[in-house]
Amino acid sequence: MGTVNGLPAHILLVHAIVVLLPLAALLLVLTAVWPAARRRLAGPNAILSVRSWPC
């Protein structure tokens, strides 16, 4: 694959998915049950969910 700052890119991509996907799921649940959080976190949650989607 390649390297990023001397680290294998594969490791960085895998760890990004491992962190971003559960974070997106947690924000989804939070916005589903808490209306005040829905107004603040709907946009960031949508962006995070799209970015963490595996290609």
Side-chain angles (χ1 to χ4, degrees):
M1 198 173 245
T3 60
V4 176
N5 291 333
L7 295 171
H10 172 75
I11 300 299
L12 295 174
L13 292 173
V14 167
H15 279 87
I17 295 298
V18 166
V19 171
L20 293 178
L21 200 58
L23 182 59
L26 178 67
L27 285 177
L28 178 67
V29 170
L30 186 63
T31 57
V33 288
W34 191 17
R38 186 177 307 136
R39 288 187 292 273
R40 290 185 165 220
L41 298 175
N45 190 23
I47 293 168
L48 183 64
S49 297
V50 169
R51 290 191 49 85
S52 63
W53 187 262
C55 294

